[in-house]
Amino acid sequence: MRILYLHQHFSTPAGATGTRSFALARALAARGHAVTLACGQYAGAVTGLAGGFRRGRREGAVGPFRVVEYAIPCGNAQGLPARAAAFLRYAARATALALAETWDVVVASSTPLTVALPALAARRLRGTPFVFEIRDPWPELPRAMGVGSPPLWAGLGALAGAACRGASAVIALSEGMARTAVAHGAAPGAVSVLPNGCDLDLFGPHVPPWRPAGLPAGTVLAVYAGAHGVANGLGQVLGAAALLQAEGAPVTLLLVGEGAEKPVLQARAAALGLRNLRFLDPLPKPRLAGLLAGSDIGLQCLAPVPEFAELTAPNKLMDYLASGLPVVANLGGATARLLAGDGEGPCGIATPPGDAVALAGALAALAADPARRVAMRAAARGLAERRWDRRLLAGRFCEVVEAAATAPALRAVAVA
């Protein structure tokens, strides 16, 4: 089959951002399908293509599949208007590609939600079936964070409804996201939950460990690796660092990544005189794997927004589990249940959202208990191997896409 995979934020493992679409496109290609992945230029991503752009586009083979990359920069450090413009520009270019060639099925991976526009156009004008993947539910999360306005949320809700109703299949990364798809009109039987998986080849105890130079001897290293934006609520980590420093706890916190809030966080850390907190620029995935192998705790942090409990599926959490790291998170809901082990033994500690005191307490407790950390390490890697192996999830993803493509032919009709 000829498959068009739309993901604006695609990256290979050489980049510093998520690689889900790389792994899934490769899995589709391994089953004999001709896969074209269309993307933009996401901050921290490495698409695998080199050379100049011609008319704002370049393309080539990246392993077993074709990549079409548009010269449309986008990243968390941009303001909302600039990001919105990038989303719409990508949707326009991807729509042209979706209509210019013949496809058996289109996979539209959101966010941004505007990736549904080319899929809907191909469905309406060419009768091409599509699979809609929800990585972050819009408008639910922007509305919960107060980003945008009621008219914008209404427009996003209408687009989400059209995508969920028009898709031959919907893939959600969590049960909470699946419920939003059904609320937007997707048939329950058409929705599959396929969470982020663990890359057990890239991350794990087989990776040579490393640590940044100059760390105090004997320190317990807790690493946060991800975006530094408003949604991440990293001010709580600074608050926890101040408490740990005042108590003399042997913990060093390392924040790895980039985002609009990073300069603010660095200035605040300097003002507080935090000697136990450091910042690093984003790292390519193989380099990050070595850092996690050399760390003691993985840190998951989000702003205290109640909707985050069930409507998020962070990549970094899967990387921590694959690396065999005990995790400290400030989330309830799905993350808290996962860290409790779901009956297989705890692999971390969940603290109340927004509670820097509890976050510091959990870090100090793990730092003081090496045996507990060892047990959680084993539980984390065990869960990664038994339940979250990305290779198993990729097989299920391929089955959903293949079933959508081979469903009874769709007529070229308007999607309500």
Side-chain angles (χ1 to χ4, degrees):
M1 296 189 304
R2 300 192 74 243
I3 300 172
L4 176 61
Y5 195 146
L6 304 175
H7 183 214
Q8 187 166 351
H9 303 335
F10 165 78
S11 180
T12 68
T17 188
T19 59
R20 176 183 173 96
S21 57
F22 171 83
L24 298 182
R26 185 174 58 181
L28 287 167
R31 291 166 77 109
H33 304 305
V35 180
T36 294
L37 193 146
C39 65
Q41 294 179 294
Y42 190 58
V46 174
T47 65
L49 299 182
F53 290 83
R54 182 179 181 184
R55 296 180 180 176
R57 165 178 165 162
R58 63 182 177 184
E59 65 176 85
V62 175
F65 57 92
R66 168 194 179 204
V67 171
V68 176
E69 179 184 356
Y70 298 109
I72 304 174
C74 186
N76 291 327
Q78 292 177 318
L80 183 59
R83 293 180 70 195
F87 297 160
L88 292 173
R89 289 176 58 206
Y90 172 82
R93 296 300 299 267
T95 297
L97 178 61
L99 298 178
E101 300 183 33
T102 300
W103 310 102
D104 294 296
V105 65
V106 174
V107 178
S109 184
S110 167
T111 56
L113 181 57
T114 43
V115 76
L117 292 171
L120 286 165
R123 164 71 176 90
R124 179 183 181 186
L125 299 176
R126 302 288 294 271
T128 308
F130 73 93
V131 176
F132 181 48
E133 181 180 57
I134 305 173
R135 297 185 182 216
D136 290 303
W138 288 16
E140 287 79 9
L141 288 188
R143 184 169 54 218
M145 295 175 59
V147 176
S149 63
L152 175 62
W153 302 331
L156 292 174
L159 179 55
C164 289
R165 293 190 302 271
S168 296
V170 177
I171 293 174
L173 268 63
S174 72
E175 295 288 350
M177 295 185 204
R179 288 191 289 272
T180 68
V182 173
H184 283 300
V191 181
S192 300
V193 178
L194 296 177
N196 276 319
C198 295
D199 189 331
L200 302 180
D201 296 321
L202 184 58
F203 295 93
H206 59 284
V207 177
W210 70 275
R211 288 188 170 202
L215 294 180
T219 193
V220 172
L221 182 61
V223 173
Y224 169 90
H228 292 39
V230 173
N232 306 104
L234 293 175
Q236 299 163 80
V237 177
L238 271 62
L243 292 168
L244 291 166
Q245 182 168 286
E247 296 168 1
V251 179
T252 298
L253 302 174
L254 182 63
L255 305 185
V256 184
E258 193 57 81
E261 291 294 297
K262 186 169 183 175
V264 176
L265 294 167
Q266 290 175 313
R268 183 181 166 194
L272 291 171
L274 297 179
R275 300 180 301 280
N276 63 344
L277 185 140
R278 301 187 180 194
F279 294 87
L280 275 183
D281 289 337
L283 296 172
K285 287 288 186 178
R287 185 68 169 157
L288 175 63
L291 174 61
L292 295 184
S295 301
D296 300 294
I297 299 170
L299 186 57
Q300 170 65 44
C301 186
L302 284 171
V305 176
E307 287 80 358
F308 284 169
E310 301 293 348
L311 298 184
T312 57
N315 284 315
K316 63 183 74 64
L317 183 57
M318 293 294 109
D319 295 346
Y320 298 156
L321 295 181
S323 300
L325 281 181
V327 179
V328 172
N330 68 341
L331 283 171
T335 295
R337 294 191 296 272
L338 187 155
L339 297 184
D342 288 332
E344 299 189 37
C347 56
I349 301 173
T351 66
D355 191 338
V357 175
L359 192 63
L363 289 165
L366 280 183
D369 195 342
R372 190 181 183 191
R373 295 202 308 272
V374 169
M376 286 186 171
R377 276 187 175 275
R381 181 68 184 188
L383 275 173
E385 292 173 346
R386 291 189 299 273
R387 300 184 58 180
W388 304 102
D389 187 338
R390 179 180 277 176
R391 291 167 295 194
L392 300 177
L393 298 172
R396 292 169 57 198
F397 177 89
C398 292
E399 291 169 1
V400 171
V401 173
E402 290 163 352
T406 56
L410 297 170
R411 293 181 295 112
V413 296
V415 178

